[in-house]
Amino acid sequence: MQKKTGLLEQYFHLIVNLRWLVVMLGAALVVVAITALPTLTKDTSAGAFIDPDNPALRYREQVEELFGLRDPIVVAVVNEGSEGIFNPDSLQLIDWLTNKISALDNVDPERVVSLATESNVVGTEMGMEVSEFLDPLPETQAEASEVRQAIADFPLYQGSLVARDGRASLVVVEILNEDQAQQTYDEILQLIAMAPTGAEDVLLVAGEGAVAGYLSSYIDQDAQRLNPFAGLIITLILFLGFRTLRATLLPNAIILATVVITLGVMAATATPFYVITNGLIVCMIGIAVADSIHILSQYYERQQIAPTASQRELVVWTMCAMVRPITLTSITTVAGFLALYPTSSMPPIKAFGLFGALAVCVAWLYTVTVLPAALSFLKPQPSKSFVAASNSGAKSPSHLFMVRVGAVVFSYPRSVVAVGLAVVVIGIFGVTRVQIEDQRIENFKASEPLYQADKRINSLMDGTYHLDVLVETEEEEGLHDPARLRKIQALQAFLEGQPHVNGSTSVVDYVKQMNRAVNENQIDQYVTPDDGMLVAQLFLLYATSGNPTDFEQEIDSTHRQALVRAYLDTNAFANNRQLVPIVEAYLTEQFNEPGMTARLTGRVHVDYHWINGIAESHVGSVLVSILAVLVMATLLFRSLSAGLLTIVPVAMSILLIYAVMGFFDIWLGIGTSMFAAIAIGLGVDFSIHSVERLRQLGRQTGRPLAEALAELYPTTGRALLLNLAAVALGFSVLCLSDVPPLIRFGGLVGLAVSASFIASITLLPSLVLLLKPASIIAPHKQRDSKRSGVVTTAILALVMIGTLNAPDTRAEELPEGLDIMRSVAARDEGHQVTRDMRLELSDRRGQTRIQEIKAYRRYFGDEKRTLLFYTAPANIRGTGFLTYDYSNSVAEDDQWLYLPALRKVRRIPASNRGDYFLGTDFSYEEIKSEIAKELGYSKAVWRIDQAVWISRESDYWDVNGNHLKTIENLEIKKIDEIWTVLQVKATNHKSGHSTLLTNLNVDYQSNVPERTFDQRTLRRGP
Amino acid sequence: MRARYCALYKLLTLLLGMGLSHSALALTLQGTADYSFALQTEDGSIQKTELVLTPQWDFHLSESARGTLIARARLDGVDELSPRQPAQHSRSHWNRRASIGNNADVEVREFYIDAFIKDSDIRLGKQQVVWGQADGLRVLDVLNPIDYREFILPEVGERRIPLWMLNVESPMGKGMLQLILIPDQTYDQLPPFDGAFAFSSRLLVPQAPANVPVTMLDDKRPSKPIKNADAGIRWTRFVDGWDLSLNYLYHYQNQAVFYLTQSPTGVTVTPTYQRSHLLGGTASNAFGNFTFRGELGYSTDRYWVANPAQLAAGVAQSPELAYVAGLDYSGLSDTFLSFQVFQSHLTRRESGTIRNQTETQVTALARRNLWNEVLTLEAFIIQSIDDKDGLIQLEARYQFNSTLSGRLGTDWFYGDSAGLFGQFKTASRVHVGLTYAF
């Protein structure tokens, strides 16, 4: 150890000596990184999330090549009037829109589909006539109604291009460049604003193309708005915590360096800035600031202890003390982040893991080099918040708060562990409710026009989500085979029978329509012809009056491959995970045959595989992260138990995230799957610092374990609190976002970090206290001998007699009974005390009543005044007792009773002090003070503990010599240097009734104002 | 008025919901639900089968300010005590019950803000303030009027009508000074003439000869909040073991004075309220197992029921000197005994006044706790020495658990029907009840 310290000291002395060099190098690195930044590319498209090698994606791209079907933007014309859209105004509007939209830059004019572009197939004497629906453009209602009739006769377009009830029609727009999708969306919105709409026409814009394009920039813009705000909040926290300029600026410098260098490396390695990289920036801010907070806390604390030390000494001492925990937390955080890389298949998430780890390393490097160097330039200057903390007077609120927390935790370690277990159980229950789901549209607020348009269009039409089946035959014109066509028709029927599939289109719809046309438009001729030759002729006939490229979305030019498209009104994974396997099974078992095969493709199919991948990889990545942290911690602490303790808070915070997701129906999807890794990375900070400090404290000898461990709270605990405030509040800023995914991100991570903190300062110390792991506390032998010594001196040694003469049995070495009682009476009770009392009254059958009292006591010179208020149960709430105890034993005490039902204070005789207090087994006197005085029993035995001058157990006999009652002081603790009885049990042997009195929240410090002990306080209430 | 009560219902429902959710406003809800059933012993009829819900909300407004709201909803299946929807003329518009049908009513009982400024406690709002040391008997405890719906059988806290007032308590010297200002012109509420406890004693209400039609006009209540406000001052001090107080109150008497005017068509009764000064004091101390309680009061202008043949309008005027002396004994374990003597003396009794110049009543109370206060047995008697009528109350209360208790008892009036207590002989009853506290 000495050697190591020596090396560390030397290193930091070196840093401080070369501080100019170090600072310049640090700055230079930042400058270099800044120059690389402009080359950073942005890829905020949704497609970036898919591994380019993903087979589903590649296949889909092939299909897109073939059939030219990209994710379209969809413009809907909705008319709720009596004619629906089949009125001249609406139809003209459709035509106008089609023309205008086709003229836009990023729109593929060949791929705009609407009523204005599609053709009707009707039969004539000549055979078949193909003419556009809106050619000529209808001017009168009669002409519009003809269009309605035409659509009614052509099932292909029903539900896909025109709503089945005629209330809406679509203009389907394909864009050329996905990166400009948002721009195109905006342009279309502008067009709509000035469109010549009819009286009841409503225009809506939606579609996968719009959603995918808009989503990324939607998130990106909001994140850019909020990230600086998060930094501002953290700066504010730093200032409030330390109240010095340097403590506010230096961490910011480290944050700046971390962010800039990480982004610079990203740019240098041509890694694009993804949507989720915004989340990484907030993480980096949190990580960078955490180390600085711990170092600066130590620095200021050290300064209080050694105010005359020079800045150099302070810096070196601080760094030597903190470098170990800082390094430990950095290493474990790196482990957590790196685990993302091998376990995810999505490039942005892999990049997130990799660059997150890099950011941690950069932050660590700057914290152990540039920070001490920069600090050594400045003169020693105390921090106001730390000055206050070291005085015995008023302490800062955070100090007091942490000490309070520590007191509670060490009073009830079992309860804390029980609560922890309960949270685990609830958490597991919540985990089982987590749903795997991701729908891009649900990333928008419900008030967003795009969201509303999507929902509306999907309710009017068959659906804007497509599941496609590519049918391939081996020979050209292989699809002319009627048997195959019928199989395709059967496939369509099967698809339409699935939930959420509202319609389908294929080349078969065209063939049937053509067949009907040539058979005098008879309805019953809307069937596939039996003759393959006839099919060929139909296509030929179509070519004479229509454009054969009209089919190009349904069949390829050689008639070898066909695309069957099913329209779904939802893209929910919950639906897809059932639909896709069913369709695949159908295709394999019933459709595929020698010479014809079918494969699934389309947006729905791609999403299905994509999200399916999340389910599998997610659990793995979380487990690997936690395991990595465990291994690291075990290696660093050289103890498995310490390693296990380290992951307890982290595991709990992860469990909590899932539980919240489960209970609040937050989906586990693309966006949320990273939260676990971030939570691990940030949360492990708290547990490492806590375990490290607990080890230092636990190894101290000469004090009770609980007392030693309690030191955790005012020092490390306070720094952790500051750390939590900075990180949690920083993340919570994201909750202010308009964008649902950012709100979830900020909220869940903030929650996870808070949970980790809480578990670190409550569960960890409780576990240490209860389990006493050897890795944390001193070797057992030492502790034992100390404790047994205390016990020996406290053994009961005396019997004392009350009023009647009885033979004294005195032990030679023990003090006189009177002296003992004098010591007992003279025992310091504190000048004032506030406490809550809890009374459990149990009768001989075990039936228990609970009463709760709020008690105040204060000395007025030698006079002691006590005020008691019942706070529970409800039927006696507000009942109050006020007593003036005069030190002069001649003067009788004065006592008042307030009954809320009477609204009056009444005087009661205090001499019934022997009476039992309101139904308990304690007398009035016993309730007022912890020591029992002479009370008129025939015999009484007190067993006084000399170490504390309090009776441990006392017995009383009534005037007839029967053993009346026993009072046991079950728990006596030192609170604020005053020995306090925390739990007393009185048992009445005659009635079998017992009362358990527990004193809670005993507070000797808070001022109890004099006016509290007035009759008017009795009337006013607690 | 209806609109006001609609707002009241909405407010109460809102507060109930808020209270139940214990929201972060530092709002707490507590209360009791009480069911009682009473059977008249004379004719076996059901006197009441009543459910009373009394929620209380406490809001913590700041370090030194709190608010309290206590409401009461009452549902009586038989509507014998206060039949139909009584007019409530003796209560100001801001202090009335809202009836829901004939059997139910809702009331804001108390609603006040407590503030502590400098050294003073200020309570502003609808509240009860109790002066005096007597239990149940009223010499100085006249700030709040009484609802005589069930005569004196319920707890006095239930019978008092809280008033809108300003109540300030400040330390002054070694004692405490309390200032009261009551702009609320609400007075004793008598039950309707066909209620189970309707007044018929000559001492309280004028008796019309048979076959003479009587017209009762609406109460002539004072109506100016400031000009007609009651104002009082009390100084208390604890010295040498003695609790002492000096009280002064300038107020309208809570009981209306029934002025009779005779006309050819009959008798018209005009209830009017009169103002008076009240000066008094209390003293209390504990000696060994005994507690002494004393109370003295002198009212300058009081009006008494008189024979209309002898005194104009059937009203006599005389100042009154009244006192109560009480002694409590707690020497026996788990037992409480209390005795009180009450005397009221008219210093200038005019002939024609119905009541005697000096009226005396005595009370005795015995209470015994058993089984660590799980069972309480109580016996109470109040007897008028002059009229030899009185009331005996016996009750047993059992605490089932922390929140639920039950009771069984009897209230028995005896004596001359013309007397204060004897007039309710027919209303003697046995009763049983359950209380749930939350």
Side-chain angles (χ1 to χ4, degrees):
Chain A
M1 204 48 139
Q2 275 292 62
K3 233 185 177 168
K4 210 174 181 180
T5 325
L7 269 174
L8 275 177
E9 265 187 61
Q10 281 176 26
Y11 165 73
F12 284 113
H13 274 292
L14 189 67
I15 294 277
V16 172
N17 286 335
L18 297 176
R19 56 195 180 174
W20 276 108
L21 183 64
V22 169
V23 170
M24 303 252 290
L25 274 178
L29 203 58
V30 171
V31 167
V32 166
I34 289 180
T35 55
L37 278 181
T39 61
L40 186 65
T41 56
K42 235 181 170 177
D43 186 0
T44 56
S45 68
F49 274 87
I50 302 183
D51 187 2
D53 290 336
N54 184 308
L57 183 65
R58 280 203 301 196
Y59 188 71
R60 181 163 163 269
E61 281 167 2
Q62 282 175 15
V63 172
E64 276 177 10
E65 296 277 326
L66 206 55
F67 291 99
L69 296 159
R70 299 267 182 78
D71 287 321
I73 294 180
V74 165
V75 180
V77 177
V78 180
N79 189 314
E80 303 267 354
S82 52
E83 300 294 327
I85 52 115
F86 295 109
N87 63 71
D89 291 335
S90 303
L91 293 174
Q92 283 167 20
L93 174 62
I94 292 174
D95 185 60
W96 183 89
L97 277 173
T98 310
N99 293 334
K100 288 290 183 207
I101 290 177
S102 305
L104 291 177
D105 270 353
N106 195 20
V107 170
D108 188 351
E110 315 264 280
R111 301 270 196 247
V112 176
V113 175
S114 74
L115 271 179
T117 60
E118 296 308 287
S119 307
N120 194 10
V121 178
V122 287
T124 60
E125 305 90 69
M126 244 80 80
M128 192 191 301
E129 188 180 287
V130 177
S131 59
E132 289 181 357
F133 286 102
L134 297 185
D135 182 15
L137 202 56
E139 305 272 322
T140 65
Q141 183 54 48
E143 287 168 5
S145 298
E146 279 170 19
V147 180
R148 177 205 299 281
Q149 188 56 46
I151 292 290
D153 285 345
F154 204 152
L156 175 73
Y157 293 117
Q158 291 168 17
S160 54
L161 196 64
V162 179
R164 288 180 192 268
D165 58 358
R167 282 189 297 159
S169 180
L170 300 180
V171 179
V172 181
V173 181
E174 262 187 57
I175 52 180
L176 293 164
N177 186 354
E178 261 186 35
D179 294 340
Q180 291 167 17
Q182 206 213 326
Q183 206 180 325
T184 311
Y185 175 69
D186 288 338
E187 284 170 8
I188 292 180
L189 286 180
Q190 280 165 19
L191 267 181
I192 285 171
M194 53 179 198
T197 51
E200 285 165 305
D201 289 332
V202 171
L203 290 170
L204 302 171
V205 184
E208 270 302 302
V211 170
Y214 187 40
L215 179 64
S216 300
S217 48
Y218 182 63
I219 296 176
D220 199 44
Q221 279 165 17
D222 218 38
Q224 279 180 19
R225 184 171 66 87
L226 288 173
N227 280 343
F229 195 35
L232 203 67
I233 294 275
I234 288 176
T235 305
L236 192 69
I237 304 279
L238 285 170
F239 181 72
L240 286 174
F242 291 107
R243 284 187 261 173
T244 64
L245 197 61
R246 68 184 70 171
T248 315
L249 292 180
L250 284 174
N252 271 312
I254 303 211
I255 292 172
L256 181 71
T258 309
V259 171
V260 167
I261 291 176
T262 307
L263 291 178
V265 173
M266 241 190 228
T269 55
T271 309
F273 186 98
Y274 300 104
V275 175
I276 61 170
T277 313
N278 282 306
L280 184 63
I281 292 186
V282 189
C283 281
M284 286 195 273
I285 296 176
I287 292 164
V289 87
D291 290 345
S292 317
I293 286 179
H294 285 283
I295 291 193
L296 287 167
S297 292
Q298 267 295 323
Y299 168 76
Y300 285 116
E301 273 172 28
R302 179 70 183 172
Q303 193 167 47
Q304 288 311 306
I305 300 170
T308 53
S310 70
Q311 182 72 339
R312 171 185 287 254
E313 282 168 31
L314 282 172
V315 168
V316 173
W317 191 93
T318 302
M319 293 310 300
C320 286
M322 293 308 291
V323 76
R324 189 185 140 87
I326 298 282
T327 311
L328 292 179
T329 56
S330 297
I331 292 178
T332 44
T333 309
V334 164
F337 271 103
L338 274 183
L340 275 178
Y341 186 82
T343 52
S344 175
S345 58
M346 291 183 237
I349 296 184
K350 291 165 93 106
F352 190 98
L354 207 56
F355 286 96
L358 177 67
V360 174
C361 293
V362 173
W364 174 82
L365 185 68
Y366 270 69
T367 307
V368 297
T369 55
V370 177
L371 181 62
L375 207 53
S376 68
F377 276 110
L378 307 166
K379 291 201 195 55
Q381 183 200 41
S383 155
K384 291 192 197 72
S385 18
F386 284 81
V387 169
S390 65
N391 289 345
S392 58
K395 294 183 166 52
S396 72
S398 56
H399 179 104
L400 278 173
F401 172 73
M402 290 309 294
V403 168
R404 270 276 171 83
V405 170
V408 172
V409 168
F410 284 119
S411 308
Y412 307 99
R414 284 186 194 79
S415 308
V416 170
V417 174
V419 168
L421 283 172
V423 170
V424 168
V425 168
I426 295 174
I428 290 176
F429 181 68
V431 166
T432 56
R433 289 169 55 116
V434 170
Q435 270 180 301
I436 300 194
E437 184 66 68
D438 203 325
Q439 291 176 47
R440 264 179 296 279
I441 193 66
E442 294 296 334
N443 283 319
F444 292 96
K445 308 185 282 187
S447 57
E448 196 71 21
L450 188 58
Y451 183 96
Q452 287 171 353
D454 179 88
K455 296 296 176 197
R456 186 119 164 81
I457 293 176
N458 274 300
S459 69
L460 289 165
M461 311 293 297
D462 276 351
T464 57
Y465 301 99
H466 310 143
L467 180 65
D468 302 336
V469 180
L470 179 67
V471 178
E472 280 179 88
T473 56
E474 281 170 348
E475 66 279 6
E476 282 192 11
E477 296 188 351
L479 287 170
H480 288 187
D481 183 355
R484 286 180 178 155
L485 289 177
R486 280 197 202 101
K487 249 194 164 169
I488 292 176
Q489 190 177 331
L491 172 63
Q492 277 182 272
F494 172 78
L495 285 170
E496 284 175 19
Q498 300 307 311
H500 291 290
V501 179
N502 298 319
S504 65
T505 54
S506 76
V507 70
V508 174
D509 299 314
Y510 264 109
V511 170
K512 291 199 285 192
Q513 185 73 4
M514 290 192 287
N515 191 50
R516 180 176 161 219
V518 298
N519 286 307
E520 288 135 24
N521 286 334
Q522 288 172 51
I523 301 251
D524 58 346
Q525 290 301 315
Y526 184 75
V527 293
T528 48
D530 292 331
D531 189 1
M533 302 277 284
L534 183 51
V535 173
Q537 286 163 21
L538 288 174
F539 278 112
L540 203 58
L541 259 178
Y542 190 97
T544 59
S545 64
N547 192 338
T549 58
D550 284 349
F551 307 124
E552 66 187 354
Q553 286 174 355
E554 282 80 30
I555 196 166
D556 72 331
S557 52
T558 59
H559 293 191
R560 191 174 70 83
Q561 296 166 311
L563 192 80
V564 179
R565 169 157 283 189
Y567 294 85
L568 290 91
D569 57 4
T570 177
N571 199 6
F573 181 66
N575 188 51
N576 294 350
R577 63 144 51 111
Q578 269 148 22
L579 178 66
V580 171
I582 285 177
V583 176
E584 275 178 0
Y586 179 91
L587 292 178
T588 321
E589 288 153 13
Q590 299 185 30
F591 191 89
N592 289 351
E593 63 182 25
M596 181 167 78
T597 54
R599 279 179 67 168
L600 275 179
T601 178
R603 165 57 62 191
V604 167
H605 184 238
V606 172
D607 284 355
Y608 163 76
H609 276 288
W610 182 23
I611 296 173
N612 215 15
I614 289 180
E616 286 148 33
S617 68
H618 180 74
V619 174
S621 70
V622 171
L623 284 177
V624 170
S625 280
I626 293 186
L627 217 64
V629 169
L630 175 63
V631 167
M632 277 296 159
T634 307
L635 285 174
L636 292 169
F637 286 119
R638 280 185 289 266
S639 148
L640 182 63
S641 55
L644 285 171
L645 275 177
T646 308
I647 61 167
V648 163
V650 172
M652 290 212 55
S653 65
I654 302 291
L655 201 61
L656 197 67
I657 290 190
Y658 288 128
V660 167
M661 285 171 68
F663 285 124
F664 289 92
D665 293 335
I666 297 175
W667 295 327
L668 179 65
I670 312 286
T672 48
S673 65
M674 293 176 314
F675 293 177
I678 298 174
I680 293 171
L682 294 175
V684 81
D685 207 16
F686 297 103
S687 53
I688 294 264
H689 279 286
S690 298
V691 171
E692 174 76 7
R693 187 88 174 108
L694 284 170
R695 267 162 61 112
Q696 284 174 8
L697 294 170
R699 294 209 162 127
Q700 290 175 13
T701 55
R703 305 158 77 169
L705 184 60
E707 203 188 316
L709 295 181
E711 287 288 319
L712 173 72
Y713 291 89
T715 54
T716 307
R718 191 167 171 274
L720 287 179
L721 184 64
L722 202 56
N723 190 1
L724 172 73
V727 174
L729 284 177
F731 272 97
S732 305
V733 159
L734 290 176
C735 292
L736 297 174
S737 170
D738 268 352
V739 174
L742 284 178
I743 298 174
R744 290 191 279 268
F745 180 59
L748 283 176
V749 177
L751 182 68
V753 168
S754 307
S756 189
F757 165 76
I758 291 173
S760 297
I761 61 163
T762 57
L763 207 52
L764 278 188
S766 300
L767 285 171
V768 167
L769 194 63
L770 292 173
L771 302 174
K772 298 189 178 50
S775 57
I776 304 287
I777 66 171
H780 211 57
K781 269 185 241 161
Q782 273 178 291
R783 216 147 260 298
D784 239 347
S785 60
K786 199 65 187 176
R787 192 167 17 140
S788 58
V790 170
V791 167
T792 324
T793 55
I795 283 196
L796 56 101
L798 153 86
V799 172
M800 157 118 190
I801 306 305
T803 49
L804 293 182
N805 290 326
D808 290 334
T809 43
R810 298 180 196 195
E812 285 291 17
E813 317 84 357
L814 300 166
E816 287 270 336
L818 197 58
D819 290 335
I820 290 176
M821 287 321 273
R822 281 213 189 96
S823 301
V824 171
R827 183 180 70 84
D828 182 20
E829 288 186 311
H831 176 71
Q832 63 198 352
V833 66
T834 307
R835 61 201 155 111
D836 296 335
M837 290 160 65
R838 185 185 153 87
L839 294 160
E840 289 169 50
L841 289 72
S842 313
D843 66 24
R844 65 167 74 240
R845 282 166 299 165
Q847 263 213 318
T848 307
R849 287 175 290 152
I850 311 273
Q851 291 173 353
E852 281 166 32
I853 296 178
K854 188 141 186 86
Y856 308 86
R857 187 185 66 216
R858 190 194 163 111
Y859 275 94
F860 289 72
D862 276 328
E863 183 185 313
K864 180 163 74 173
R865 296 190 185 174
T866 313
L867 178 67
L868 299 168
F869 269 116
Y870 269 91
T871 54
N875 61 331
I876 52 175
R877 197 185 272 133
T879 305
F881 274 90
L882 175 66
T883 313
Y884 290 0
D885 243 0
Y886 303 113
S887 57
N888 178 356
S889 58
V890 171
E892 275 188 355
D893 297 349
D894 291 312
Q895 204 165 38
W896 293 263
L897 167 68
Y898 175 74
L899 294 168
L902 294 181
R903 307 290 166 114
K904 225 166 48 160
V905 176
R906 66 185 299 130
R907 187 69 174 277
I908 55 176
S911 68
N912 56 345
R913 53 178 66 184
D915 264 7
Y916 292 124
F917 179 75
L918 284 193
T920 66
D921 299 292
F922 294 100
S923 67
Y924 283 33
E925 190 61 43
E926 282 155 358
I927 288 282
K928 280 189 287 137
S929 55
E930 289 94 11
I931 46 171
K933 294 201 191 103
E934 188 190 295
L935 291 162
Y937 299 106
S938 69
K939 179 170 139 185
V941 173
W942 288 271
R943 296 174 185 76
I944 310 289
D945 181 341
Q946 268 189 319
V948 299
W949 294 115
I950 297 177
S951 162
R952 290 273 177 187
E953 190 179 313
S954 43
D955 287 282
Y956 305 86
W957 284 261
D958 69 359
V959 286
N960 297 326
N962 301 316
H963 188 200
L964 182 59
K965 72 179 186 181
T966 304
I967 294 184
E968 302 158 85
N969 284 328
L970 296 171
E971 192 179 1
I972 303 178
K973 276 181 91 161
K974 209 173 196 182
I975 295 178
D976 288 333
E977 302 305 313
I978 296 170
W979 286 105
T980 310
V981 177
L982 288 184
Q983 205 172 57
V984 195
K985 185 167 178 185
T987 312
N988 185 320
H989 301 293
K990 266 170 82 173
S991 62
H993 194 275
S994 71
T995 306
L996 181 67
L997 188 159
T998 312
N999 283 318
L1000 304 159
N1001 306 325
V1002 181
D1003 179 8
Y1004 291 100
Q1005 302 289 338
S1006 302
N1007 184 40
V1008 185
E1010 286 186 17
R1011 58 176 284 272
T1012 308
F1013 303 92
D1014 237 354
Q1015 288 179 42
R1016 63 171 166 163
T1017 312
L1018 274 178
R1019 278 196 298 270
R1020 297 279 166 175
Chain B
M1 210 199 302
R2 259 207 112 64
R4 213 178 286 148
Y5 296 139
C6 280
L8 170 69
Y9 301 161
K10 283 186 202 138
L11 175 67
L12 287 177
T13 317
L14 175 70
L15 286 172
L16 186 70
M18 281 166 71
L20 288 170
S21 64
H22 286 268
S23 67
L25 276 181
L27 173 72
T28 54
L29 171 67
Q30 56 179 281
T32 55
D34 181 291
Y35 173 73
S36 61
F37 175 85
L39 207 61
Q40 276 180 202
T41 48
E42 180 167 278
D43 55 359
S45 62
I46 300 175
Q47 192 183 80
K48 69 172 176 178
T49 166
E50 186 177 76
L51 178 66
V52 179
L53 189 65
T54 313
Q56 175 176 336
W57 289 269
D58 291 293
F59 339 75
H60 214 75
L61 296 169
S62 73
E63 258 320 302
S64 54
R66 306 204 285 230
T68 304
L69 170 65
I70 303 174
R72 180 171 66 190
R74 192 161 45 193
L75 172 66
D76 187 353
V78 296
D79 198 30
E80 288 293 319
L81 298 170
S82 202
R84 299 168 310 283
Q85 300 177 22
Q88 303 187 76
H89 292 297
S90 61
R91 297 174 73 147
S92 73
H93 287 284
W94 293 99
N95 202 339
R96 294 193 179 178
R97 302 197 287 256
S99 300
I100 308 168
N102 288 342
N103 296 55
D105 62 75
V106 178
E107 191 180 348
V108 171
R109 289 279 296 157
E110 294 181 63
F111 188 20
Y112 52 80
I113 309 274
D114 274 333
F116 181 65
I117 300 174
K118 289 260 175 93
D119 265 331
S120 305
D121 281 299
I122 300 171
R123 180 174 282 189
L124 176 67
K126 196 166 191 283
Q127 60 190 281
Q128 293 183 34
V129 174
V130 181
W131 282 0
Q133 287 283 349
D135 283 336
L137 299 160
R138 288 153 52 90
V139 174
L140 294 176
D141 179 15
V142 291
L143 283 104
N144 289 87
I146 299 276
D147 182 357
Y148 282 102
R149 190 169 165 271
E150 249 184 282
F151 195 45
I152 60 168
L153 297 180
E155 293 256 22
V156 67
E158 304 287 308
R159 291 186 279 126
R160 275 193 215 100
I161 302 174
L163 296 179
W164 292 100
M165 62 169 96
L166 171 66
N167 171 7
V168 181
E169 276 189 77
S170 289
M172 196 183 84
K174 288 222 176 91
M176 195 74 65
L177 190 69
Q178 181 180 38
L179 292 161
I180 306 277
L181 184 69
I182 311 175
D184 187 351
Q185 273 94 36
T186 296
Y187 306 101
D188 285 348
Q189 184 170 15
L190 273 47
F193 66 90
D194 54 351
F197 291 96
F199 285 11
S200 59
S201 166
R202 307 170 310 131
L203 294 167
L204 298 173
V205 292
Q207 308 282 305
N211 302 327
V212 176
V214 174
T215 322
M216 181 85 131
L217 295 181
D218 288 344
D219 291 30
K220 263 184 72 177
R221 260 181 336 106
S223 57
K224 297 194 177 45
I226 300 301
K227 210 163 159 234
N228 300 137
D230 294 347
I233 192 166
R234 174 175 78 163
W235 182 80
T236 49
R237 171 107 193 252
F238 174 64
V239 59
D240 253 341
W242 281 91
D243 282 305
L244 301 170
S245 82
L246 280 174
N247 308 57
Y248 168 76
L249 183 66
Y250 178 53
H251 70 134
Y252 280 92
Q253 282 288 332
N254 288 330
Q255 298 108 321
V257 184
F258 297 111
Y259 286 96
L260 304 173
T261 40
Q262 308 232 354
S263 67
T265 51
V267 170
T268 312
V269 182
T270 315
T272 314
Y273 294 92
Q274 297 287 2
R275 232 168 182 169
S276 166
H277 300 268
L278 172 65
L279 189 63
T282 68
S284 171
N285 199 347
F287 310 96
N289 287 322
F290 289 92
T291 306
F292 166 76
R293 296 174 285 114
E295 185 174 328
L296 179 73
Y298 177 77
S299 295
T300 55
D301 296 274
R302 290 219 59 182
Y303 300 84
W304 310 98
V305 178
N307 190 343
Q310 292 173 270
L311 285 170
V315 170
Q317 187 178 5
S318 163
E320 180 199 33
L321 179 71
Y323 72 86
V324 173
L327 200 63
D328 303 330
Y329 178 67
S330 321
L332 306 167
S333 60
D334 293 321
T335 308
F336 176 74
L337 297 171
S338 170
F339 302 97
Q340 292 178 125
V341 171
F342 166 75
Q343 274 206 316
S344 158
H345 178 77
L346 302 181
T347 54
R348 273 201 318 265
R349 180 175 178 272
E350 299 176 84
S351 69
T353 312
I354 303 292
R355 64 161 271 182
N356 298 338
Q357 185 165 33
T358 306
E359 297 245 330
T360 311
Q361 290 168 4
V362 291
T363 78
L365 169 72
R367 186 188 300 135
R368 170 111 191 156
N369 284 315
L370 295 154
W371 310 331
N372 290 84
E373 288 196 21
V374 168
L375 179 67
T376 305
L377 299 173
E378 198 170 289
F380 173 78
I381 179 169
I382 176 168
Q383 159 120 4
S384 163
I385 300 292
D386 310 85
D387 300 323
K388 298 188 178 36
D389 63 342
L391 163 68
I392 294 179
Q393 286 183 288
L394 299 172
E395 188 171 279
R397 284 191 294 273
Y398 185 76
Q399 193 84 27
F400 295 100
N401 59 37
S402 300
T403 52
L404 188 65
S405 70
R407 59 184 183 275
L408 175 68
T410 175
D411 303 310
W412 187 46
F413 294 95
Y414 61 91
D416 190 359
S417 323
L420 188 59
F421 302 99
Q423 65 179 321
F424 300 122
K425 263 206 304 222
T426 51
S428 298
R429 65 197 196 174
V430 288
H431 62 96
V432 64
L434 272 176
T435 307
Y436 174 74
F438 54 89

